[in-house]
Amino acid sequence: ISVVHGGDLKWRLPIGRAATVGGPAQGPDGTIYAMGEAGEPDSEVVTLFAVSERGEILWKRRLPQADGSNYTVVGPDGTVYVVGQYVYAFSAEGSLRWSITTRPAEPIPNFPDFHSCALSGDGVLYAAMGYDLLALRATDGDTLWVGPRAADVSWLLPPTVSADRRTLYAKRTGKAQYALDAATGVARWSVRDPHPW
């Protein structure tokens, strides 16, 4: 992690290869959260670092079934969320609040690559996890709804919640853009990508 202010480097902290998307996030108390893969023998294990504004490591947690394409999202209460193949929620002090570490077996292996999430202002964590699009209660991880299942591991991009919290926008990579009812997960409409990859 490198922190620059006004063009001057304030501090640098080596944590290994960082997340390839998303980058670090900062909590309401100023703590910086970043993923790193320093010295990890398994590409599906990553370390979540909590770093002070002065560049000191406050705590770190190894996260199985996460990788450099996953990143942190911080809630207004300081809870830190990471969505990979599993889902983790940590307090600002580093204690595990809840996690989801069981997933259904899949005919095609579902790796944590580019799994991501969005957090709404009313306390719902929307997780795009390959085959699955889930709405989870942010306080305890309970499943509120399960969205349309992708046949080809294509819920890979971060979903977006509308300002009025009524609509969730999510893209099935290379397929279509969806607008879903944020309360139920029912698709309102979809538009096919004219140039799928």
Side-chain angles (χ1 to χ4, degrees):
I1 304 174
S2 297
V3 173
V4 178
H5 179 70
D8 297 322
L9 181 66
K10 294 181 70 175
W11 52 262
R12 177 175 290 159
L13 180 67
I15 60 169
R17 190 174 64 175
T20 55
V21 294
Q26 190 167 30
D29 65 353
T31 302
I32 299 162
Y33 301 96
M35 309 288 272
E37 296 181 327
E40 301 293 359
D42 186 342
S43 63
E44 290 178 31
V45 176
V46 73
T47 299
L48 169 63
F49 291 87
V51 181
S52 75
E53 291 180 286
R54 296 185 302 276
E56 303 160 330
I57 295 175
L58 302 174
W59 52 264
K60 57 185 178 179
R61 300 290 181 268
R62 285 172 50 90
L63 306 182
Q65 292 298 318
D67 67 19
S69 67
N70 309 134
Y71 52 91
T72 57
V73 170
V74 184
D77 64 350
T79 302
V80 185
Y81 303 94
V82 177
V83 173
Q85 175 69 342
Y86 297 156
V87 183
Y88 302 92
F90 291 94
S91 72
E93 295 75 34
S95 61
L96 183 65
R97 289 193 167 166
W98 57 265
S99 63
I100 298 173
T101 57
T102 57
R103 296 288 303 282
E106 304 290 359
I108 300 172
N110 185 8
F111 302 108
D113 299 26
F114 298 102
H115 293 190
S116 56
C117 67
L119 183 65
S120 73
D122 56 353
V124 179
L125 185 73
Y126 298 98
M129 305 172 71
Y131 292 100
D132 299 318
L133 180 64
L134 307 174
L136 308 170
R137 187 179 300 118
T139 54
D140 56 17
D142 281 355
T143 301
L144 301 175
W145 54 255
V146 177
R149 185 168 167 80
D152 52 0
V153 201
S154 60
W155 293 115
L156 297 177
L157 300 174
T160 301
V161 186
S162 65
D164 64 6
R165 305 173 188 164
R166 294 183 179 181
T167 306
L168 180 72
Y169 300 100
K171 187 169 189 302
R172 285 180 54 184
T173 303
K175 298 292 183 182
Q177 175 72 48
Y178 284 80
L180 302 105
D181 186 307
T184 65
V186 174
R188 292 178 175 164
W189 52 259
S190 66
V191 177
R192 287 194 62 79
D193 188 338
H195 304 290
W197 45 275

